[in-house]
Amino acid sequence: PRLLSQFFFADERVTQVVAEINGLDAELDPQQYLVLLNQLHLSQAHLLAVLEQIMEECIPTQRHSRDYLVKFPEELLVGNLGNHMLFAAECILAGTFLEVEEADGAQLRPQARKLLCSLELVRRVLREQSLSQPSSYPEPVRAVLIQFDWLFAEFELSYVSSMVVVKSPEEIYRQQEIIVLFCETVGRALRLGYVTQEMIDGYEPLLMFTIPRLAIISGLLIYPEGPLSLERSPEQMSRVFSPFYNLLKKIRDLLRVLSAKELSLLERSLCTAE
C-alpha cells in the first residue's frame, strides 16, 4: 500500500519495457515494436499516476498552480495529458516536432531537456528512498519533487500554447457568463413549468435541445446584458455565438414583436419540438 513501493515497481516496469525496445530491431519485427510502444505508454502513464499521488501526499501546498488548465481546449483534457506531455518532451529533445512548428520546438527544447533530466532525478531519488525508508519523505526528496512539478507545469503550458490557441482570460469569462445564462435559464424553465426537476434528475435527453433553445431566448430578451448582448461587436462575444451574430439579431427582432402569451407558446413549443 505504500506509494514509494508502488513507485518502485512501476519504475521497474518502465525500465524493463525500455530495455526490450532497445534490444529489438523494429524493422525486422514492426508488430512487436508497436506492442512494446503501447506497453511503454501504459507503463509510463501508471508511473506518472503514482508520482502524482506521491506529490499530493508529500508536497500538497508547494505544487505549481494548474489554473492555466482552464485555458486549454476541452478535448485536450479528456485523455492522459501528463503522459502526452512526457512523450512530447522526448520527441522535442530527439529533434522530432510532431505537433508544433520547428521554430517553436527549438525554443521548447531547453525546457524539455530540464524536464526529462528532472524526471530521471526524481526516479533515482524515489527508487533509493523506496529501498531505504519507504514510509518517509525527507527534505531532499521533497526538493526534487517540487522542482519536477514546477518544470512539468511550465513545459505543459508552453507546449500547449505553441500547439493550439489557448483561451484568453476574456474568453474564459465569456464562457462563465454562458454557464450563468444556462443556470438562470434552467431556473426560469422550472418556475414556468417548461421542464420538471424529474427531467433534470433523470437526464432527459430532450433537455440537450430544450435548454440551449430557451437560453437563446433568455439571453436575447430576459438578460440582454449577458453573453448574448448584441450591443457588443461579434469580436467581443464568445466564439460559441459570434458566428451567428447576424442571425441572433434577426431572432431578437422577431421576438420583440411577440406578446407575452405568444412568447410563452413559442417557448413551450421549443420544449417539445424534435
Side-chain angles (χ1 to χ4, degrees), residues 182-253:
F182 272 57
C183 290
E184 295 289 346
T185 298
V186 171
R188 179 171 174 270
L190 285 170
R191 291 194 302 271
L192 296 176
Y194 296 156
V195 300
T196 65
Q197 189 63 49
E198 290 74 18
M199 294 172 66
I200 296 174
D201 294 339
Y203 300 103
E204 172 61 47
L206 184 60
L207 296 179
M208 294 288 291
F209 302 96
T210 297
I211 301 305
R213 292 167 177 172
L214 294 178
I216 290 175
I217 294 179
S218 296
L220 293 174
L221 292 184
I222 313 301
Y223 311 106
E225 302 301 320
L228 286 181
S229 173
L230 298 179
E231 300 304 316
R232 307 174 180 178
S233 66
E235 293 75 21
Q236 294 174 314
M237 297 178 70
S238 168
R239 286 180 287 181
V240 175
F241 296 115
S242 58
F244 311 103
Y245 184 82
N246 291 330
L247 178 60
L248 289 170
K249 289 184 68 174
K250 294 179 181 179
I251 294 175
R252 182 196 61 182
D253 294 341

Side-chain angles (χ1 to χ4, degrees), residues 4 42-43 48 59-60 65 73 85 92 102 106 123 130 141-142 146 149 166 172 191 196 226 238 242 251 260:
L4 281 174
L42 295 175
S43 60
L48 288 178
I59 54 169
S65 170
M85 290 300 102
I92 287 175
E102 185 173 349
R123 291 176 63 183
S130 67
V141 173
R142 295 167 57 87
I146 293 172
D149 184 54
V166 299
I172 294 171
R191 291 194 302 271
T196 65
S238 168
S242 58
I251 294 175

